[in-house]
Amino acid sequence: MSAEKNHETLARRLFDALQAADAEAIEGMLAHSFAGTQNGGPAMDAAALITFAQAVKRAVPDFRYEAIACRATTDGFVEEHLVCGTAPDGTAFRIPLCVVGDVEGAQISALREYVDTRAATPLLKALG
């Protein structure tokens, strides 16, 4: 399997683990030096990403990714998807996202997420 195909497979495994809030699986795919950002904000480490994924899953039990389009690059992947779910107040949401991931060896070293913050309002409200 080519390195690029492996990057796409790794991306899919990561987003499946994030959707399930599977801390062990998430941690196993991230490099020790992992850094993630949302809209260019402050970096979060693996523990912060896991905490965020678990908070989302608690607040929005039907949290899921839809309309997934993932493309491998020579050093990672780019994935576009919709983050979907129902907020505790009953508001359904579909948030468009683009995530750029860097892969070093067989682990993800960085994620840069770009999200429509207006569309994310119901999710942010659910997270308090």
Side-chain angles (χ1 to χ4, degrees), residues 31-126:
H32 291 292
S33 61
F34 172 80
T37 61
Q38 294 177 320
N39 290 349
M44 68 177 92
D45 62 10
L49 178 62
I50 291 166
T51 298
F52 179 76
Q54 292 172 333
V56 169
K57 191 66 174 174
R58 277 191 307 275
V60 183
D62 68 342
F63 169 80
R64 65 198 178 280
Y65 298 108
E66 294 182 356
I68 299 163
C70 186
R71 299 290 180 269
T73 64
T74 56
D75 58 354
F77 57 87
V78 175
E79 178 162 313
E80 296 175 272
H81 54 240
L82 295 173
V83 169
C84 303
T86 308
D89 69 1
T91 304
F93 57 84
R94 294 171 56 87
I95 307 165
L97 274 99
C98 180
V99 181
V100 180
D102 297 336
V103 176
E104 294 178 9
Q107 293 187 304
I108 297 167
S109 59
L111 291 176
R112 292 175 303 286
E113 179 180 87
Y114 302 96
V115 59
D116 177 346
T117 54
R118 183 170 293 187
T121 300
L123 175 58
L124 297 174
K125 184 178 174 184

Side-chain angles (χ1 to χ4, degrees), residues 2-57:
S2 73
E4 288 183 10
K5 188 63 176 169
N6 285 339
H7 295 168
E8 192 173 326
T9 300
L10 183 59
R12 189 72 267 120
R13 287 180 42 233
L14 176 68
F15 289 110
D16 287 348
L18 288 167
Q19 181 174 297
D22 182 341
E24 186 176 331
I26 295 166
E27 189 171 32
M29 287 179 262
L30 303 180
H32 291 292
S33 61
F34 172 80
T37 61
Q38 294 177 320
N39 290 349
M44 68 177 92
D45 62 10
L49 178 62
I50 291 166
T51 298
F52 179 76
Q54 292 172 333
V56 169
K57 191 66 174 174

